[in-house]
Every structure is written in C-alpha cells, then in structure tokens.
Amino acid sequence: MKIEKIDKNFIKENYTETEDRCCYEIPCCGFDLYGVFYDKKRGRFMRMDGDVADQVSEGVSYLATNTSGGRIRFSTDSSVIGISVAYSSLVEMSHMPLTGSCGFALLEKIGTTYKTVSLFRPLHSEKQGYTGEVLINDHKRHEYILYFPLYNDVTKLQIYLDKTATLFEPEKYRNIKPILYYGASIDQGGCASRPDSSYTAILSKWNDIDFINLGFSGNAKGEPLMAEYASKIDCSLFFIAYDGNAPSAKFLEETHFKFYETYRKIKKDIPIVFMSVPCFENFPEAAERREILKRSCLRAKEQGDNNIYFIDGEGLFDDKDREMCTVEGIHPNDLGFYRIATHIYQLYNNIDEHSCH
C-alpha cells in the first residue's frame, strides 16, 4: 500500500521507491515512534530535549543522543524487512557487544508473546552506518517492534519493505501513560547483549506499556534541572535509581531527597520508586547508599506521601548463581537484567509489598 493512502498529508520526501523496494525514512506515517524523537536541528534521534541536556552537563548532552528506549511499532505483510542506519560514530566497548550498544532488534509481537525476527548489527569496520535485511516470505500480516540501540546515536534510519507490501495501522501500547526511568548505566541498558534485553524493555514487553529511558551512564547526578525536566513528562510511574552515579554517599545524601522534592512539587500524585544498585557486594558504599534511599522514602512518608516505594537492589539478582548475573561484577548481562525485571514486575502486581519499611 502506498503510504499516501494512509495519510494524504504525508511528506513525499519520507517515501521513495526502487525497482523492487519501497523505502520509508523514519519518522514516517505508518511507523509509530516511541521513546525517542527526531530532532531536525541536531539531525539525529534524541531521548530528551537537547537544549535541556546541554544545560545539565556535558555527559548528559552526549548521552541524550544515545537511543536507549527507542522503539518503532509497525504492521505489514511484507516478504522482506530491511533497515539502513547512519550514525556519527560507532560505540565500541570492551564489556558490551555491538549487538546491544549499536544493534537494532526486530521482534514480532504475537498476542502477549514475542518472537525474534532479526538482530541487525554493524561490523567493527562500519564506522558510519550499516544495512541489514531479513526475509519473511509468508505474505501474512505481522505486528513488529523495532528496538533502537542502547548506546549509539542514530542520525538516519530507513526501513525497506517489498514494493507490493501493505502497511497496516500498528497495534498500540495499553492505554496507560509511559513508565519513566531516571538512573545510571544499568538503567540505560549496560551491558545487555541486545536492546530488548534491558530490564526496562523487558518490563515493557511483559506489561505492554510504553516507557521512557532517562538512564545516563556515569552521568546521572540528581541535578535539579533533571528533576524539573522529568516533572514535565507525562507518566504513570517514575523510577529514581541514580545512586550508582553519585560520586559519594555524602553527595547522594545531599541531592537525593532534594531531587525527590523538586519532582514532587510538580507531580504530586505520580507513584515514585527509589531503587538501589543491584551489584551490591561490588559497589563502594552500597549499604550506606541504600540507607540514604530508605531514609528519603521514610521521610517522604512521614510528610504524608503514601505514593512512594523502595526496592532494595541487593535482592534483585537473587542468591543462586548470583555471580553469573553481571559482565564484570557491576553491569548486568541478560540473566541479570531478566532477574531485575522479574522482581520489579511484582511491583506492578502489588506495589504495596515494596514499601520502605
């Protein structure tokens, strides 16, 4: 189906044809974009306002261009799905595979379950972009979710379908406001092997709820400006998990409750969750930092806030095979993220069980 049949106001330059393919440049009608937006001024996808990010810190300014939490939902009967990706540089890390830091994961949604269709990823030599394609071949309608990279920027994304394909209206997330996450590298998704394996993405799949990822690797310092920015985002639940990025326990003590207060002045009724680091035994001052979060929670409750909760990170990896949950003792691997998600999922079922008492 020609995209013009879906939206007569569609801008022509977002759609082109070759001999056997139709090409859609994202953002584009028929492809629902979540978790990121395209910033024309900066010429790239962003997960928060770039001007605000610039004011917060140099680190947040850079990391805001990382597309963690970005997704596209679309529905088609195309016999082929391909992507073409461009970026300013390839993010290569010694403790995280390119499939997670720079890859796109294409999943099919089948009711409440998911099937991996393809994992598009670059070669180490592809410093400015890459392409990928997967054959479907059954010519039936499928619901897809394409997950953006966790640690790379994306300056351009094109999706290719076969020329005879129909583009249907995609399924939506449940009619619940997004979950908002603010935190550190673990919350950004380091070091998941694929972008749909971070705990935030797993929870979104299990609950079919949209989410916004404001995890800033090494650079979440509880800045007042970040609290103000977060308070302007419409959400149904707000996670605050930046304790791992605080330079010291003293710094955390000085900023944590103030960050909460700044947010709560605007968003008076949104449930807030404080979550401490899961890599408890390997993190400096972990016990002391946890107590600071618990004190913030108790102080908020003493002031009449009954919509505040605490998750003890020490229990998120469980005890059995705990050493297998991280890459290097700090950042979770896929098993670690799965266990984190399993524990947090209980919060959605019975949030009162995770009080700070």
Side-chain angles (χ1 to χ4, degrees), residues 206-272:
W206 287 350
N207 291 286
D208 198 27
I209 298 175
D210 186 18
F211 71 98
I212 298 169
N213 190 307
L214 295 182
F216 297 105
S217 188
N219 285 270
K221 305 292 179 62
E223 298 92 343
L225 186 56
M226 278 304 309
E228 293 171 8
Y229 179 77
S231 70
K232 298 174 183 177
I233 298 174
D234 215 9
C235 67
S236 61
L237 183 64
F238 183 33
F239 275 78
I240 302 175
Y242 77 90
D243 61 314
N245 277 178
S248 65
K250 182 176 183 293
F251 180 94
L252 184 65
E253 183 83 70
E254 292 172 349
T255 61
H256 193 267
F257 194 77
K258 290 180 180 178
F259 186 90
Y260 154 79
E261 283 186 311
T262 301
Y263 180 84
R264 190 52 103 200
K265 284 178 183 177
I266 306 299
K267 290 292 177 68
K268 301 185 182 301
D269 300 316
I270 298 298
I272 297 175

Side-chain angles (χ1 to χ4, degrees), residues 43-56:
R44 66 189 66 243
F45 291 89
M46 302 284 293
R47 55 192 174 112
M48 72 171 286
D49 183 279
D51 292 338
V52 177
D54 291 346
Q55 296 175 56
V56 175

